[in-house]
Amino acid sequence: MGNKENIFSEIQHLRREIERHNYLYYTAAQPEISDAEYDALFHRLKELEEKFPEFDDKNSPTHRVGAPPAKEFPAVEHTTPLLSLDKATSYKEFLQFHKRVQKMLGVSDLFGSIDYTVTPKLDGLSVRLRYEHGSLVLGATRGDGFRGENITQNVRTIRNLPHYLIGDAAKLPVLEVRGEVLFHKNDFIKLNDELEMQGEKKFVNARNAAAGSLRQLDSKITAKRPLRTYIYEVLYYEDIEFETHWKQIRFIENAGLPVIPYAEHCDSPENVKKYFKWAVDNREKLPFEIDGVVIKVNDISYQWKLGTVSHHPRWAIAWKFEAEEVITTLLDVQWNVTRNGFVVPVAVMEPVFVAGATISRATLHNEDQIERLGIKIGDKIVIHRAGDVIPAVLRPIAEMRTGDERKIIPPQNCPVCGSKLFKPEGEIYRRCPNRSCPAVIAESIKHFVSRKAFDIEGLGDKQVEVLLDAKLIKDAADLFTLKTEQLIPLERWGQKLAEKVVANIRARKKIAFDRFIYAMGVSGVGSHISEILADNFKSLDTLKNATLEEQAGNR
Ligand code: IVH
């Protein structure tokens, strides 16, 4: 037995040593040993683990090579919501944020300033990582902010992410952090070159590559991709208090976690402006893609005072870089009908690569916007797009006109059902009056099953269209009586998907009231308003019977 104990302690020692060298190599950039020495440690550990499988541990560095393929990623509820960020696109907008913060905290310029922690905004994927007693036990995607996917197998393969914490953090019962998973630019280029050589499809940008690699069911593939992670938030902790965000960052750094680089203190809006300029000027030189800077109120007690709204905290803001602009040709304008019967113009364009993606369609919003832009079919147009933001048409280039351009003429009849459109006085949209217009029905059902509404997994826009075409549903209510046998014969469905979708629909027979309100798709009632209504009225009957004043009073 004594012998076995020795072996176990050697295994443990090797694991920690290897983790320490990983940290020195990837995070501190100060390796102490050569690659050959590292390989020797690794080899010895592997040998012992193979001989003594009873000492296996999922967090062993040998597991960085991946685990057997998963069938699917199980869902995980987040301990605290992974919120998004409010955004500013100019100094003026940042100042508005700053003034709001000052006002809410009752701090004026004369009596002490607000201290901010400022970091680059990394263009990757947000992940939540949970450590228990210093050991990595969970990695999850952000998902809808409340529920994500369990991708622990995959995050274990990320080279610069420690499986064990060091220092005081290792003693905490729970520590959850949030960070971004991404590729360094040079690693991304190398990966695409390799994919091309193997005759495989290349990724359009580093962010998509990171998403594709992280959400691999086969973690052995993830392990071959040189992903990295950088941590920028402490999400949840027990048995410890922090005074400032800066101290949180230093704490996770001392825990051996790879902390977001280039973090700075800024004690005035002017200094934030300087930092932003630094980021704009140095963006190209940084090892990873960034799309702006994130500014957070440093004082944790201030963060509590400011609180959050459903989408974002009031104590932080993302100041995004200006969107990239490119020129393309407007080929046509298509008129789409929304779930409320509004007829909206969509630009159909010569495909063009902008801000990391190929774009061929963009909304033109409404007829007034077309008028304002003075745009014609056949025009050379300037479009822009910032990261995940919807592309927008900025202006036509009048100097490039040939005379063959055509005026954009809005339709008189619904492009889907042919009904005569009407435009109420003072409104900007023409509307289809037909409540049974196939477009209105299809769009309402797509909204009904969407993520913030009934969230029926496996039922996307395409599947809804297929169900309607096959005449299996006429409205959203019909979804609940669908049977597996009806779905199996549909194109690209099959037994497994059919069973899964029917089970997912069943599982959503009961949902939270705010989701239900949102799913109704009432114009102007988004997820935030739905939450407020649900909070105040509690049930459908009370909401239905409330007077207009009562409903408005809660907005
Ligand atoms: S802080 C509640 N810091 O940006 C605040 N987020 O647009 C938590 N992101 O989903 C976020 N770099 O994935 C923070 N330095 C940074 C970030 C960052 C990138 C991402 C994050 C979030 C998105 C919001």
Side-chain angles (χ1 to χ4, degrees):
M1 195 60 219
N3 189 24
K4 274 219 165 172
E5 261 168 35
N6 286 346
I7 283 162
F8 185 51
S9 70
E10 182 181 353
I11 286 179
Q12 274 188 315
H13 174 73
L14 282 166
R15 283 177 185 157
R16 287 184 196 266
E17 267 302 282
I18 291 170
E19 280 281 291
R20 191 171 72 83
H21 290 299
N22 279 344
Y23 170 79
L24 289 169
Y25 183 87
Y26 288 105
T27 302
Q30 281 175 333
E32 278 176 9
I33 57 172
S34 67
D35 288 1
E37 285 167 294
Y38 178 89
D39 289 345
L41 290 177
F42 200 88
H43 186 76
R44 172 72 182 149
L45 175 60
K46 233 177 146 181
E47 190 178 71
L48 289 177
E49 284 180 347
E50 270 161 24
K51 247 195 204 153
F52 302 94
E54 61 270 41
F55 297 137
D56 191 26
D57 180 340
K58 287 204 174 73
N59 272 334
S60 170
T62 53
H63 285 282
R64 284 187 187 275
V65 292
K71 287 209 182 62
E72 60 177 356
F73 298 118
V76 267
E77 297 281 333
H78 295 318
T79 328
T80 39
L82 271 67
L83 296 177
S84 193
L85 285 168
D86 196 8
K87 68 169 192 286
T89 49
S90 63
Y91 184 53
K92 200 172 138 214
E93 283 180 15
F94 167 68
L95 273 183
Q96 286 167 354
F97 162 83
H98 173 66
K99 293 258 152 65
R100 224 168 31 239
V101 166
Q102 278 189 317
K103 197 167 161 216
M104 284 189 77
L105 295 175
V107 179
S108 75
D109 287 336
L110 290 175
F111 302 101
S113 52
I114 310 271
D115 193 16
Y116 293 110
T117 299
V118 192
T119 54
K121 184 168 188 303
L122 306 173
D123 197 9
L125 272 107
S126 199
V127 286
R128 165 189 156 216
L129 303 160
R130 181 178 172 97
Y131 288 86
E132 286 177 7
H133 304 286
S135 258
L136 176 67
V137 293
L138 175 79
T141 60
R142 173 166 179 260
D144 63 4
F146 300 97
R147 205 159 43 117
E149 289 170 322
N150 184 330
I151 50 159
T152 315
Q153 307 260 47
N154 296 14
V155 299
R156 280 208 175 98
T157 70
I158 300 175
R159 317 283 204 287
N160 73 338
L161 183 72
H163 291 177
Y164 307 102
L165 300 178
I166 52 175
D168 291 345
K171 296 181 207 125
L172 295 180
V174 182
L175 179 71
E176 289 198 9
V177 295
R178 175 172 176 183
E180 203 83 350
V181 172
L182 47 74
F183 277 114
H184 277 192
K185 290 176 196 164
N186 54 358
D187 288 332
F188 167 66
I189 293 168
K190 242 187 1 217
L191 170 66
N192 254 356
D193 286 351
E194 278 166 22
L195 289 174
E196 190 170 28
M197 288 217 311
Q198 291 155 10
E200 286 184 44
K201 222 173 140 219
K202 295 201 289 181
F203 288 106
V204 285
N205 57 36
R207 187 176 193 277
N208 283 9
S213 304
L214 194 62
R215 296 189 67 258
Q216 274 286 341
L217 287 170
D218 185 353
S219 57
K220 291 210 165 61
I221 297 180
T222 313
K224 291 197 188 112
R225 307 262 168 94
L227 286 166
R228 296 188 195 236
T229 185
Y230 292 105
I231 312 298
Y232 46 70
E233 278 276 307
V234 182
L235 269 179
Y236 180 83
Y237 42 87
E238 286 173 8
D239 294 356
I240 190 164
E241 291 296 330
F242 298 100
E243 284 159 38
T244 62
H245 180 62
W246 192 260
K247 285 189 180 163
Q248 289 182 335
I249 298 257
R250 296 286 80 93
F251 179 80
I252 48 183
E253 185 168 44
N254 291 332
L257 284 162
V259 169
I260 185 163
Y262 313 106
E264 296 266 356
H265 252 316
C266 291
D267 60 4
S268 70
E270 290 76 28
N271 283 341
V272 171
K273 193 175 171 186
K274 274 192 202 142
Y275 185 93
F276 183 81
K277 184 171 183 321
W278 169 84
V280 171
D281 293 345
N282 290 279
R283 177 180 188 185
E284 297 301 322
K285 286 180 239 155
L286 297 186
F288 37 63
E289 304 272 1
I290 66 170
D291 57 355
V293 306
V294 178
I295 303 137
K296 295 176 194 163
V297 171
N298 197 23
D299 191 310
I300 303 288
S301 65
Y302 279 176
Q303 290 190 1
W304 280 108
K305 256 194 211 158
L306 291 161
T308 67
V309 293
S310 63
H311 169 267
H312 59 260
R314 288 204 201 86
W315 42 262
I317 196 158
W319 181 359
K320 307 250 285 196
F321 295 144
E322 259 173 46
E324 193 189 331
E325 292 185 2
V326 295
I327 297 172
T328 185
T329 310
L330 180 66
L331 300 175
D332 199 4
V333 171
Q334 204 179 315
W335 298 85
N336 284 359
V337 184
T338 71
R339 61 170 198 274
N340 291 309
F342 298 129
V343 178
V344 294
V346 176
V348 180
M349 307 169 296
E350 188 86 48
V352 61
F353 191 76
V354 49
T358 302
I359 304 295
S360 57
R361 301 160 76 79
T363 175
L364 285 167
H365 299 290
N366 53 56
E367 287 168 42
D368 292 359
Q369 173 77 354
I370 293 177
E371 281 287 310
R372 260 197 304 277
L373 294 172
I375 196 171
K376 291 180 170 181
I377 292 170
D379 263 340
K380 290 274 178 247
I381 52 173
V382 181
I383 65 166
H384 80 167
R385 178 174 182 270
D388 47 6
V389 174
I390 305 159
V393 177
L394 293 183
R395 57 186 175 272
I397 309 179
E399 300 77 44
M400 289 177 83
R401 284 193 173 140
T402 60
D404 291 339
E405 292 75 18
R406 285 179 292 127
K407 200 169 160 14
I408 299 167
I409 302 165
Q412 297 298 318
N413 293 82
C414 172
V416 179
C417 71
S419 306
K420 185 142 185 58
L421 301 177
F422 72 105
K423 192 171 174 185
E425 199 46 46
E427 281 202 11
I428 48 175
Y429 294 106
R430 276 160 215 264
R431 296 181 73 165
C432 174
N434 178 7
R435 299 316 294 163
S436 343
C437 170
V440 171
I441 292 174
E443 294 308 312
S444 307
I445 302 175
K446 287 176 196 170
H447 175 77
F448 185 90
V449 300
S450 67
R451 225 169 178 171
K452 288 183 185 166
F454 272 68
D455 189 19
I456 299 176
E457 232 184 284
L459 271 193
D461 290 1
K462 265 248 133 53
Q463 287 78 10
V464 170
E465 303 264 358
V466 171
L467 293 178
L468 282 164
D469 284 348
K471 306 222 168 358
L472 290 178
I473 55 170
K474 289 194 299 302
D475 55 31
D478 290 344
L479 291 170
F480 295 95
T481 49
L482 279 177
K483 301 209 168 48
T484 323
E485 308 83 73
Q486 295 175 295
L487 304 180
I488 296 171
L490 297 176
E491 208 180 312
R492 278 192 277 158
W493 278 68
Q495 177 96 19
K496 253 175 84 183
L497 182 62
E499 275 172 11
K500 218 170 116 179
V501 168
V502 170
N504 289 344
I505 295 173
R506 291 256 154 81
R508 291 283 187 274
K509 275 202 165 156
K510 251 191 153 159
I511 59 162
F513 188 35
D514 60 327
R515 282 179 175 270
F516 180 82
I517 297 175
Y518 177 80
M520 294 302 102
V522 178
S523 166
V525 181
S527 53
H528 184 54
I529 301 285
S530 302
E531 263 176 43
I532 297 175
L533 290 172
D535 253 10
N536 284 282
F537 293 100
K538 305 285 191 264
S539 79
L540 191 56
D541 281 339
T542 355
L543 179 59
K544 271 202 307 209
N545 295 331
T547 62
L548 261 182
E549 287 71 25
E550 281 169 332
Q551 293 184 1
N554 283 292
R555 289 190 56 161

